[in-house]
Amino acid sequence: QVQLVESGGGLVQAGGSLRLSCAASGSIASITTMGWYRQAPEKQRELVAIITNRGNTNYADSVKGRFTISRDNAKNTVYLQMNSLKPEDTAVYYCNAGVFTTAPLRLNDYWGQGTQVTVSS
């Protein structure tokens, strides 16, 4: 079993910053792509940013230049630095990872429980 535990969400004023963290633990052989998604009320879940195990990144157009995704492979952790936050960034943010588990060796997709980010105007 693999668990993804997120932290760092909260309430911030527009223009402020937050840093989200997501740590993976459990029967992990290796982790491929890690990413952050978000879901606002009455909207579909959308991609925010992803990062491969080699450090290649991709961002949603709405966050380019404001958000930065990074990872620490030794700690099985992915981060999302969010700057210049806007009210429209308000959502539940979910961590995602593609994980090769041990015994048996199998690739599965895992999600965190979500962390609320609220940006006030």
Side-chain angles (χ1 to χ4, degrees):
Q1 274 288 6
V2 173
Q3 298 81 37
L4 300 182
V5 179
E6 299 134 337
S7 60
L11 173 64
V12 64
Q13 288 188 332
S17 299
L18 284 174
R19 188 190 193 212
L20 305 183
S21 300
C22 172
S25 62
S27 303
I28 298 171
S30 65
I31 301 177
T32 60
T33 298
M34 303 185 80
W36 290 94
Y37 293 73
R38 66 187 181 187
Q39 187 167 17
E42 301 182 357
K43 290 189 176 181
Q44 291 189 335
R45 190 173 298 188
E46 64 177 0
L47 170 70
V48 176
I50 56 173
I51 183 169
T52 70
N53 55 358
R54 294 190 176 186
N56 297 314
T57 60
N58 194 24
Y59 296 89
D61 288 342
S62 59
V63 307
K64 283 181 180 177
R66 300 187 298 122
F67 291 9
T68 302
I69 190 170
S70 60
R71 63 190 283 174
D72 184 333
N73 291 331
K75 296 181 178 180
N76 292 329
T77 299
V78 63
Y79 305 96
L80 186 68
Q81 178 66 45
M82 305 185 293
N83 298 329
S84 302
L85 282 161
K86 304 175 181 180
E88 51 262 44
D89 294 318
T90 295
V92 177
Y93 284 70
Y94 296 92
C95 172
N96 172 263
V99 179
F100 278 102
T101 54
T102 59
L105 187 64
R106 179 181 299 167
L107 178 62
N108 287 312
D109 198 44
Y110 292 91
W111 292 88
Q113 79 285 357
T115 185
Q116 178 70 46
V117 171
T118 302
V119 184
S120 63
S121 56

